[in-house]
Amino acid sequence: MKKLLNAFVPTLGALVVLAGSATTAGQQPPPTVRTGEPAAPRPAAPSLARPASPTKAPDAAGFLQRWLVLEPIKVPGQLTQSVVQALVAKEYFPNQFTVVPHDGDKVNVADESLTWHALDTAGYNLNLFHFAYALNKPTSNVLFWAVTVVDAPRDMTNVRLAIGSNAASIWWLNGQEVIGLYNDRQAVIDDGVSKRVTLKKGPNVIRAAIVNAGGATDFCARFIDGNDAPIRTIVVNLKANGPER
């Protein structure tokens, strides 16, 4: 994978710098709120927007920039493989491993009603800190669920899902677990790469669970082909009926 990463240094270097400024300098601590007073409204997440088109192609480096993200679920802030796998295996809401949600859908988790949000990210990564902070939701000791659906123009064999996350994460393609990252870590491009898989002609569902203990949190994902080149001929279509539906 070193050859692949070197090939993208000229174009992705600036993105990494931007991501760093967005996930550290751009993250202020929550304002102090007096007991009994409602929290002040917060500005919209600077790196995120609602989708404005039916479909969205990957960016020039192949990164998927449109996702459905569920508001964070409070969990213990531990990131070891065994703990993360146990956290993700717990059922928080019905059909959590099969549902392909719509923007605005709600689920009940314990005593909270949480909403799915359709999001476009301006960068190669989706900044979960910005997402949660803008909604006055917790950013530490949390689990995020993220789903997207990509339409492939034909069966595409010998491809791999390449991801990065801050912090731990587990990923599924069409219902099959394909990769996991564990422990406290930064979101590094292609930090984890799946075994070779097949994208089926038509819709394919990518599902991720991201667990954060504290501080910045984000993720990125793209598909690469048998020559380690990014795949850009797919499109994200959140209204497609994926094979899990």
Side-chain angles (χ1 to χ4, degrees):
M1 295 303 297
K2 291 183 178 179
K3 180 179 180 181
L4 171 64
L5 292 175
N6 291 339
F8 283 97
V9 165
T11 57
L12 295 183
L15 290 175
V16 173
V17 172
L18 288 174
S21 62
T23 54
T24 53
Q27 295 177 0
Q28 300 84 12
T32 301
V33 179
R34 294 180 181 177
T35 303
E37 291 184 359
R42 295 179 181 175
S47 59
L48 304 175
R50 292 179 60 83
S53 60
T55 61
K56 185 173 181 60
D59 72 2
F63 288 99
L64 305 177
Q65 296 179 294
R66 177 170 294 176
W67 294 83
L68 284 151
V69 181
L70 183 64
E71 293 170 356
I73 297 171
K74 298 172 186 176
V75 297
Q78 299 179 47
L79 302 171
T80 62
Q81 181 171 344
S82 60
V83 170
V84 170
Q85 288 179 340
L87 287 175
V88 171
K90 179 181 176 180
E91 182 178 278
Y92 298 96
F93 54 91
N95 305 316
Q96 67 184 24
F97 289 107
T98 57
V99 67
V100 181
H102 298 86
D103 183 39
D105 283 356
K106 296 181 182 296
V107 299
N108 292 320
V109 178
D111 59 348
E112 289 188 280
S113 176
L114 304 180
T115 303
W116 287 94
H117 297 261
L119 302 169
D120 279 358
T121 175
Y124 73 95
N125 62 329
L126 194 148
N127 192 316
L128 292 167
F129 184 101
H130 285 170
F131 166 69
Y133 183 84
L135 295 171
N136 286 302
K137 299 293 183 179
T139 58
S140 298
N141 302 334
V142 286
L143 163 64
F144 295 92
W145 286 97
V147 177
T148 198
V149 182
V150 297
D151 264 328
R154 63 185 183 282
D155 283 353
M156 307 178 78
T157 60
N158 203 33
V159 306
R160 290 177 290 171
L161 178 63
I163 57 95
S165 65
N166 183 346
S169 63
I170 300 177
W171 298 73
W172 296 261
L173 172 64
N174 293 333
Q176 300 297 314
E177 184 177 332
V178 292
I179 193 168
L181 296 175
Y182 303 100
N183 302 313
D184 192 12
R185 62 199 313 126
Q186 298 297 312
V188 176
I189 292 170
D190 301 344
D191 189 21
V193 179
S194 75
K195 64 181 180 181
R196 300 185 187 276
V197 297
T198 297
L199 284 176
K200 302 173 183 178
K201 180 180 179 180
N204 297 262
V205 178
I206 299 94
R207 187 180 309 275
I210 300 98
V211 180
N212 189 52
T217 177
D218 62 320
F219 69 90
C220 59
R222 63 178 174 177
F223 285 97
I224 55 177
D225 65 18
N227 296 315
D228 293 340
I231 295 174
R232 297 189 292 267
T233 55
I234 55 178
V235 296
V236 173
N237 181 2
L238 297 183
K239 296 186 181 299
N241 289 321
E244 292 186 341
R245 200 147 196 169

